[in-house]
Amino acid sequence: MIDAYKKYLSEILIDEVTLQERVQALGEQITRDYADLDNLILVCILKGGVMFLCDLTRHIHVPHEVDFMAVSSYGKGARTTTRNVRIDMDLTTHLTDKHVLIIEDIIDSGHTLQSVMHLLETRRPASLKLCTLLNKASRREVEIPIHYIGFEIEDKFVFGYGLDLDEKFRNLPFIGVVDTSQL
Ligand code: IMP
Ligand code: MG
């Protein structure tokens, strides 16, 4: 039972050590970049971003807040530029005059984050940047600025470390590629 994920795993794409080293390096980079700025807030996009947020925040050595937001996109899978996102759970913090850094698990088409960034922009933050653990650049349908990227990956469906396979296996400490013949 403990190895229930194994039948869905075709290969480990990013192992635990590699992940943790990269997350630490990102945290150090963010620490340097925000060293002279007050009012940093990490906005984690639930649920996928939560593992990344928890590890990253421990490597950011400037005072900062964290808050959470859950979104889901309409018409998922439909290749249209008119897709929009629904806010399932909003932030509890006001963003006005804060330096906002969005923490996301993966950018695929870019629609979700484009909508989130447009929404957060209307709340008048001092700055708004985006940090994603994974980037599937080949899948991009809309241009969005990404300021911090953990890893560039190919167009493969992945799970683990926050990313789900049918809502499960977010707790795996590595990023695995799904064996689609098992779905
Ligand atoms: P986008 O709007 O197409 O950029 O959607 C990004 C969202 O799709 C992410 O936040 C994930 O929730 C989900 N997603 C995209 N690719 C994967 C994947 O390979 N594994 C798990 N979730 C994914
Ligand atoms: Mg996500």
Side-chain angles (χ1 to χ4, degrees):
M1 238 2 209
I2 203 105
D3 289 344
Y5 71 88
K6 280 191 175 166
K7 74 178 220 184
Y8 302 108
L9 180 69
S10 78
E11 57 166 323
I12 292 180
L13 189 65
I14 307 168
D15 65 40
E16 184 173 359
V17 170
T18 307
L19 263 179
Q20 292 298 331
E21 284 175 355
R22 183 71 189 121
V23 173
Q24 178 168 351
L26 282 172
E28 289 167 357
Q29 191 184 343
I30 291 164
T31 300
R32 286 193 297 275
D33 293 352
Y34 286 87
D36 299 324
L37 301 175
D38 288 330
N39 292 337
L40 171 61
I41 180 167
L42 307 181
V43 168
C44 175
I45 309 298
L46 296 174
K47 305 170 191 166
V50 74
M51 297 286 168
F52 181 35
L53 181 274
C54 288
D55 286 336
L56 184 65
T57 186
R58 286 180 276 197
H59 292 293
I60 298 178
H61 301 292
V62 293
H64 60 280
E65 298 177 52
V66 296
D67 203 351
F68 301 87
M69 165 171 203
V71 300
S72 50
S73 57
Y74 289 92
K76 195 95 186 130
R79 289 207 165 237
T80 153
T81 51
T82 57
R83 271 196 290 169
N84 219 329
V85 298
R86 183 182 64 214
I87 308 300
D88 295 322
M89 192 192 94
D90 207 342
L91 303 169
T92 58
T93 315
H94 289 288
L95 299 185
T96 312
D97 298 331
K98 290 184 182 161
H99 291 282
V100 176
L101 182 58
I102 300 172
I103 308 300
E104 172 64 312
D105 53 355
I106 187 166
I107 315 279
D108 189 69
S109 70
H111 288 287
T112 307
L113 261 291
Q114 186 187 54
S115 299
V116 169
M117 290 188 87
H118 282 158
L119 173 71
L120 297 189
E121 202 67 77
T122 66
R123 300 182 183 180
R124 304 263 173 257
S127 67
L128 180 61
K129 291 192 174 182
L130 173 56
C131 173
T132 187
L133 179 68
L134 306 176
N135 185 35
K136 281 187 193 171
S138 65
R139 296 262 303 166
R140 199 61 28 83
E141 293 176 23
V142 289
E143 271 319 307
I144 48 165
I146 312 180
H147 307 88
Y148 302 94
I149 296 174
F151 302 89
E152 296 283 351
I153 66 166
E154 289 173 49
D155 182 11
K156 290 176 175 168
F157 199 80
V158 294
F159 71 123
Y161 198 68
L163 295 115
D164 69 301
L165 180 57
D166 201 13
E167 289 299 326
K168 299 186 186 72
F169 307 124
R170 295 186 194 272
N171 59 326
L172 296 175
F174 54 80
I175 302 282
V177 177
V178 177
D179 178 355
T180 48
S181 71
Q182 294 299 317
L183 298 181

